Amino acid sequence: MHGVDATVARDALDVRALREDFPILRRVVDGKPLIYLDNAATSQKPRAVIDALVRYYEEYNANIHRGVHTLGQQATDAYEQVREKVARFIHAPDPAGVVFTRNTTEAINIVASAWGRRYIREGDEILVSEMEHHSNLVPWQLLARDVGARIRAIPVTAEGTLDLSSVETLLSPRTRLVAVVHVSNVLGTINPVRRLADLAHRQGALILVDGAQSVPHLPVDVQEVGCDFIAFSSHKMLGPTGVGVLYASPSLLEQMDVYQGGGSMIRQVTLDHSTWAPVPTRFEAGTPSIADAIALGAAIDYLGGLGMANVRAHEIDLTRYALGALGSIPEVRLYGPADPLARGGVISFNFADVHPHDVGTVLDSEGIAIRAGHHCCQPLMRRLGAAATVRASFYVYNTHKEVDALVRALARVKELFGVGVRCALP
Ligand code: PMP
């Protein structure tokens, strides 16, 4: 899957060496070394990314696309080079299809607003799934509310995969868009986006892929995926907050309405009329997050240096190890596919009937950062019959030892809460 040999051993990455690149990993929390297992929320940043931010501000801070001066030119060149880097990273044929946004959420909102309001009409349908993050659900709800369209959802099976058997009946000539997550931020499930793209296209619909949890962790080739739109965030892939990406072919971007009006996105302005700049700048009104985009380039270089196939192999190995270790604890109820090859490095679970926030608090006192809650996936939580889950999520710097520490800390949860084994573990 994704060009990765499933048998690749645990040393796909030199984790001990690369941990030295992440200053924050030297932190101590509550007297214990930090164990950061909240990477699905946001990743940590290597020194190269932090340095790129500092270098921009210290050496060539200037606004882009306008200045005739040296600094403005250097900033513009650096910003535009990252557009090319992003395109290469996702194997996009044309950097002019790379729109810098604030994050995944804004990228999806741009599509809902600038594409959706132009092409989705009353009675049309938007097909999402039950495992969508709110950011790939609420923008469609707002659109559907305003134009009179209808949202339909691909159900999630008991194994935590999409019920593909239902897709053909859910797709209809009224379907204009399929909007699905590539890798679930709760279940870790890797969805068959190529298959969904083919099914969508056969019905004349477009497909948007929420790549927030896939682009940082798997080799993603947008041409192989066959998606019309893909959205992802820099901050989950070792880059800074404040910048994300929407990718679509330039011809599709051309067919869209504009999103926000203002500086940079125009060609000519009179008092009562404006014409638009070429894509993708047409979608980048105002001053963008210049420093953050430039530092995203440093993050892409860093990931490229590791090799995305190695990143993926490392996460398969950690996920396999963690699923084995957590699965042997009777109080742990795991969610999502059992096969580590079918999922990314995200593991959600519950510990008997201890509230996930209590589990999180005990783990924090052991220096372990995980996330507890609904993970912005309330419909999925309803489907799982859980109000919340504990979520551990891995990245390049995580180790087997850290998984062992998580398992030990769960024993501490058991001691503190004196829990018995819940009988109804499915
Ligand atoms: N989709 C998925 C699958 C996510 O995991 C997230 C972040 N948790 C988002 C969308 C939203 O990302 P952002 O907050 O960076 O816009």
Side-chain angles (χ1 to χ4, degrees):
M1 174 167 290
H2 298 280
V4 173
D5 179 355
T7 61
V8 173
R10 68 163 74 168
D11 51 7
L13 298 178
D14 184 352
V15 178
R16 192 197 292 253
L18 75 81
R19 285 178 66 87
E20 297 294 316
D21 297 334
F22 291 81
I24 209 170
L25 297 180
R26 284 178 225 134
R27 258 210 71 166
V28 167
V29 174
D30 251 348
K32 317 254 167 48
L34 168 68
I35 295 180
Y36 187 77
L37 301 178
D38 194 16
N39 294 286
T42 200
S43 69
Q44 298 303 345
K45 321 303 172 197
R47 171 66 67 197
V49 167
I50 300 164
D51 285 350
L53 286 170
V54 172
R55 208 176 314 117
Y56 166 76
Y57 285 120
E58 285 187 351
E59 295 176 17
Y60 58 103
N61 171 50
N63 213 330
I64 54 167
H65 295 150
R66 291 162 226 189
V68 287
H69 55 78
T70 304
L71 268 54
Q73 200 49 55
Q74 285 175 347
T76 304
D77 290 349
Y79 181 84
E80 289 303 327
Q81 273 164 21
V82 179
R83 210 186 289 285
E84 289 167 23
K85 266 182 200 169
V86 168
R88 277 197 299 277
F89 190 67
I90 58 171
H91 303 271
D94 192 343
V98 173
V99 178
F100 287 120
T101 65
R102 257 186 333 123
N103 47 33
T104 304
T105 304
E106 190 180 55
I108 296 172
N109 276 279
I110 291 174
V111 179
S113 179
W115 179 82
R117 278 170 204 277
R118 183 166 272 190
Y119 296 103
I120 297 190
R121 309 232 184 286
E122 189 172 355
D124 284 347
E125 293 177 356
I126 300 161
L127 183 58
V128 297
S129 87
E130 248 181 348
M131 63 168 84
E132 295 315 310
H133 188 280
H134 296 162
S135 63
N136 197 27
L137 191 54
V138 182
W140 309 119
Q141 291 173 351
L142 295 175
L143 173 67
R145 179 196 69 188
D146 292 350
V147 304
R150 180 175 173 213
I151 308 270
R152 306 193 76 186
I154 307 167
V156 169
T157 66
E159 289 72 45
T161 57
L162 291 183
D163 178 4
L164 288 183
S165 65
S166 69
V167 174
E168 295 204 40
T169 38
L170 284 166
L171 276 168
S172 83
R174 304 294 334 231
T175 313
R176 291 281 163 269
L177 182 76
V178 176
V180 280
V181 68
H182 195 171
V183 174
S184 162
N185 63 309
V186 174
L187 302 167
T189 315
I190 301 175
N191 289 321
V193 279
R194 171 77 222 198
R195 177 118 182 259
L196 290 166
D198 290 342
L199 290 169
H201 290 151
R202 208 179 298 159
Q203 279 290 356
L206 300 193
I207 179 164
L208 174 142
V209 169
D210 171 353
Q213 300 292 347
S214 61
V215 172
H217 299 278
L218 324 169
V220 171
D221 178 330
V222 287
Q223 300 182 71
E224 239 171 56
V225 170
C227 55
D228 299 288
F229 301 104
I230 191 164
F232 52 97
S233 298
S234 150
H235 70 93
K236 293 183 197 282
M237 53 190 288
L238 309 181
T241 52
V243 66
V245 170
L246 168 66
Y247 176 77
S249 71
S251 62
L252 179 54
L253 292 176
E254 293 279 359
Q255 292 162 38
M256 289 162 51
D257 199 356
V258 291
Y259 178 57
Q260 290 182 328
S264 304
M265 53 76 73
I266 49 83
R267 191 189 299 270
Q268 281 215 312
V269 180
T270 63
L271 280 179
D272 55 9
H273 182 72
S274 301
T275 54
W276 314 133
V279 299
T281 23
R282 185 182 300 174
F283 296 100
E284 294 176 11
T287 302
S289 292
I290 304 166
D292 302 316
I294 291 170
L296 166 61
I300 290 174
D301 288 343
Y302 190 90
L303 286 171
L306 298 179
M308 287 308 291
N310 294 326
V311 171
R312 173 69 183 135
H314 171 71
E315 290 188 27
I316 290 172
D317 172 63
L318 267 184
T319 305
R320 179 180 287 122
Y321 184 71
L323 286 175
L326 292 169
S328 65
I329 303 172
E331 292 83 1
V332 167
R333 177 189 173 165
L334 290 164
Y335 300 94
D339 178 1
L341 296 182
R343 57 192 296 162
V346 175
I347 301 182
S348 278
F349 61 94
N350 266 309
F351 192 84
D353 48 11
V354 181
H355 195 283
H357 283 136
D358 292 332
V359 176
T361 305
V362 176
L363 296 184
D364 184 53
S365 70
E366 301 291 322
I368 303 175
I370 51 83
R371 184 143 294 234
H374 55 63
H375 316 294
C376 298
C377 288
Q378 289 182 4
L380 177 60
M381 290 294 134
R382 256 171 241 122
R383 167 66 184 91
L384 299 175
T389 70
V390 181
R391 181 184 72 185
S393 52
F394 307 125
Y395 213 1
V396 292
Y397 33 71
N398 291 124
T399 64
H400 285 225
K401 274 195 177 146
E402 291 180 322
V403 174
D404 294 340
L406 171 66
V407 168
R408 276 197 306 277
L410 288 173
R412 180 96 186 104
V413 174
K414 185 171 173 177
E415 258 167 53
L416 285 171
F417 287 86
V419 287
V421 180
R422 207 162 49 167
C423 327
L425 290 174

